[in-house]
Amino acid sequence: MATDIHLHQEIKIGGVWQHYALKRVPRSYELFNKMAGVGDSYNHLPIREPRGIPDDSTFLTQFDYIQWEGNSNNPSWFNAKDIAKIISWLRLNDDTWQREIDSFGFLFSTGWESFYNYPKDRSPDIEDIRFIFWFDN
């Protein structure tokens, strides 16, 4: 049975989380293992152990999760530091992983990892960012 990821990107503006995008990330069991320990074919330490869906996630993220709730597993979320870590891990082999990096898209005109790595360059209106995700069966 195939596993896919459902990844919502949210940004915080004016103290309120806003839904930014629902991204189509290509199926990659090695990436899923590194993100949340999904699957046992790889022995990566996950960036972070799954910790559920945040209570303050946006309506669209919660609505989508509820639709998948009976057929989802390992729900979690990444903060800005976690996002920078996973993209940095992917960049170690950029020929292999460029498709996955590209699938995360951009935070307006810059990469998502730039929010954490270059705080002086970030938009003053964007207070925080996160990826919320789960996997289906």
Side-chain angles (χ1 to χ4, degrees):
M1 181 179 290
T3 299
D4 289 306
I5 188 171
H6 301 261
L7 188 142
H8 289 260
Q9 297 169 326
E10 296 184 348
I11 60 176
K12 188 182 263 188
I13 299 173
V16 179
W17 286 104
Q18 305 292 330
H19 193 270
Y20 185 80
L22 169 60
K23 298 307 289 186
R24 166 84 173 93
V25 178
R27 185 179 297 143
S28 170
Y29 296 121
E30 188 173 5
L31 174 62
F32 299 168
N33 184 249
K34 185 65 177 174
M35 288 180 74
V38 172
D40 56 4
S41 298
Y42 302 93
N43 292 321
H44 297 302
L45 288 175
I47 296 289
R48 178 176 294 282
E49 292 295 325
R51 54 185 170 167
I53 303 297
D55 291 337
D56 64 347
S57 61
T58 66
F59 172 80
L60 288 172
T61 300
Q62 289 181 21
F63 181 81
D64 191 31
Y65 181 68
I66 289 168
Q67 304 308 305
W68 285 96
E69 198 166 21
N71 195 27
S72 65
N73 60 73
N74 294 24
S76 194
W77 60 279
F78 280 175
N79 61 23
K81 183 177 181 180
D82 301 331
I83 293 167
K85 280 183 185 178
I86 195 66
I87 292 174
S88 175
W89 179 80
L90 289 167
R91 286 196 193 286
L92 290 176
N93 298 301
D94 61 348
D95 289 342
T96 305
W97 295 104
Q98 191 60 48
R99 177 179 74 144
E100 281 75 7
I101 294 169
D102 291 346
S103 70
F104 291 137
F106 292 93
L107 177 60
F108 296 103
S109 62
T110 188
W112 285 92
E113 73 275 21
S114 295
F115 183 86
Y116 179 78
N117 291 334
Y118 306 103
K120 288 186 259 175
D121 295 341
R122 69 173 74 148
S123 168
D125 296 321
I126 301 174
E127 300 161 17
D128 206 353
I129 62 172
R130 65 184 175 191
F131 288 179
I132 301 173
F133 56 92
W134 59 91
F135 303 88
D136 66 35
N137 299 323

